[in-house]
Amino acid sequence: MHPIRKKRLTIVLFLLVGLGIAVGLATYALRQNISLFYDPSQIAAGDAPQDVRIRAGGMVEENSVKRDPESLRVRFRVTDFESSVVMEYTGILPDLFAEGQGVVATGRMGPDGVFVADEVLAKHDENYMPPEVKDSLEKAAARAEKNTAQSIPEY
Amino acid sequence: MRLMWQFFHKLGSPKWFYGIAGRWLPWLLISGLILSLAGIVWGLGFAPKDYLQGNSYRIIFIHVPTAFLAQSIYIMMATAAVVTLVWRMKLADMFVRSVAPVGAVLTFLALFTGAVWGKPTWGTWWIWDARLTSMLILLFLYFGVMALAAAIADEKSSARAVAILVLVGVINIPIIKYSVEWWNTLHQPATFKLTEKPSMPAEMWVPLLMVVLGLYLLFGWLAFVRMQTEILYRERRTQWVKAFVRP
């Protein structure tokens, strides 16, 4: 390669590496601001600010959704499989809201440790499958459960 | 290796490229149209629906290819920018100028289809999470490249300025790609990874892949057409263009 071109290529590479380091450090320093939400273990550890509007997100725990029969109020537990936080919300939930699904809620932590949300968004995961496959997976799981239940020897 | 360098040096001649591009055009257009149309008809009409989202997931067949290509085009532009800066090749600069508007349109389409899908699925059109914001920055980068390319009259300094801007902006691409892994975002992680099986069945990902490949070919076609125009304009004072335009 021509020496002038080699020099130019070195300058370009230096530019890219330097820029990469600068942006990497900046985003690393700002990581908490770039993250959209706090997860329940961060809230439990006290990393989330109190009495400020924050976003909290995680998975809606199975069998934790309790609806108020009189109003649109709903309470549920959100977990990251380490800690969990109880959330309260009044309003219409998005279509994808369900137990076992991810949510991101905006609101503040109340003094009683309940997160009062004024907006709940559903978080979708990267998995897609046809309904029939989902059905057969569930049936297979149920069968497997039954089989293990039967395999315990009786006296 | 030797052959590759020979090919690379031939790229220095816009006249040579003009002829090659013309020969490729019909094949790119036909194969691109067939692949992408077949993929879209299959994906939108016949692929099974999703167990959770029902039919609304089908926007993936537009959203993913446009978002994919929008980033891919930027990487190609950055490669061309290095060639401009190091080898001072005119054709590389012509490529950057010709495809920047295409990239901008595709980025806009990705943002737009994402918003249309986000409203029923997430419950909001827009959220300032890392993936959506970095994708918006990509759109502004494309606008910036287009504006800068048009702002400087002198060809050589314009080429260099545009190349530097493109190169500085390329840092945004890994940020877009890994935003969903580095930070908590509302946007889900990638369904397709190079190292793993896609987390969707074949009757969903095959049409999706067809649209992606088809869109690549259509992009190639459009890039070549636009580059030919750019070549004729930039080389308008040369003998071969004069002879070509007014035989």
Side-chain angles (χ1 to χ4, degrees), chain A residues 17-126:
Chain A
V17 171
L19 206 70
I21 293 173
V23 173
L25 287 175
T27 47
Y28 182 75
L30 292 170
R31 66 194 180 285
Q32 199 44 264
N33 298 34
I34 297 173
S35 273
L36 186 69
F37 54 86
Y38 293 95
D39 35 43
S41 18
Q42 283 172 312
I43 293 173
D47 286 345
Q50 297 282 320
D51 297 323
V52 195
R53 253 171 70 98
I54 56 166
R55 286 208 189 90
M59 182 92 96
V60 181
E61 228 174 271
E62 298 283 346
N63 307 317
S64 78
V65 180
K66 302 270 185 302
R67 284 171 205 274
D68 183 353
E70 308 280 297
S71 68
L72 283 172
R73 194 160 60 185
V74 57
R75 271 190 178 215
F76 49 92
R77 251 198 328 274
V78 167
T79 177
D80 61 355
F81 305 107
E82 277 176 35
S83 314
S84 65
V85 60
V86 177
M87 287 192 182
E88 190 182 283
Y89 176 68
T90 311
I92 296 163
L93 291 159
D95 293 355
L96 245 60
F97 179 91
E99 290 174 350
Q101 284 291 320
V103 288
V104 175
T106 316
R108 31 181 110 227
M109 281 309 284
D112 52 349
V114 173
F115 186 89
V116 183
D118 48 50
E119 183 188 40
V120 174
L121 301 177
K123 188 167 155 52
H124 181 58
D125 65 14
E126 70 272 32

